[in-house]
Amino acid sequence: MIADVPVERLNDLAPLWHVLYDHHNEVTPHLRDRARSFEQAWESRRRTERRWLESEPDSFVVAAQDGDGYVGYAFVRVRSGAGFAESWSVSDPLADPVTLVVLPELRGQGIGAAVMDGVEARLQEMGIADMAITVITTNTEAIPFYEPRGAVPFVTQFIQPVELTGGTMPSKE
């Protein structure tokens, strides 16, 4: 069953977000020296998601439930599309699914597709025509998931360190 996740249950998503955190670190060995601890990452993400929910009131979280527990979820920001892509038209507001995760042992069973179907149904109700989906470039399993749904490549984003005065690199904090 796909259901909304109320704000008071966001912390229940920690085990799923831990799965995503581990997966991100697995598919990005080239960023290993920048990895934060799970605790730091989770605390930062929790603060960020609460801020999004407060400042972007149409944003939402939906999850696949198994009994009282969650087995997959999506966090979707609904934000202004203005300035997103000046050379092309995009909907305003624009949906930004910043998280999609399913427990590894349940992948391939249609749970992620069901969660995304729930996301798309909500966006259709809201009259939102576009999603800006971010995928880590080396997450080669995610790309074929989105493409059959109509997603097309748009932007490649790089991270480049800048040597700061005194030869120090940016902090992991």
Side-chain angles (χ1 to χ4, degrees), residues 2-104:
I2 306 301
D4 288 339
V5 177
V7 172
E8 59 272 8
R9 290 209 53 200
L10 289 178
N11 285 333
D12 294 352
L13 300 172
L16 281 162
W17 204 82
H18 201 294
V19 165
L20 186 62
Y21 166 88
D22 288 343
H23 182 67
H24 284 167
N25 282 299
E26 180 183 313
V27 300
T28 58
H30 58 289
L31 297 175
R32 188 165 288 123
D33 63 326
R34 292 178 173 259
R36 292 175 162 177
S37 71
F38 170 75
E39 292 74 19
Q40 290 174 313
W42 174 245
E43 180 57 34
S44 175
R45 184 52 172 247
R46 214 32 57 229
R47 278 193 315 268
T48 299
E49 288 180 351
R50 289 182 190 280
R51 186 181 73 247
W52 286 333
L53 289 169
E54 289 171 8
S55 65
E56 300 162 344
D58 289 331
S59 296
F60 60 93
V61 184
V62 294
Q65 288 185 280
D66 182 17
D68 286 338
Y70 297 121
V71 296
Y73 85 98
F75 187 106
V76 181
R77 291 182 66 196
V78 176
R79 60 186 182 88
S80 173
F84 176 77
E86 300 301 348
S87 297
W88 303 273
S89 64
V90 297
S91 65
D92 189 12
L94 175 69
D96 187 355
V98 294
T99 301
L100 175 63
V101 62
V102 173
L103 290 174

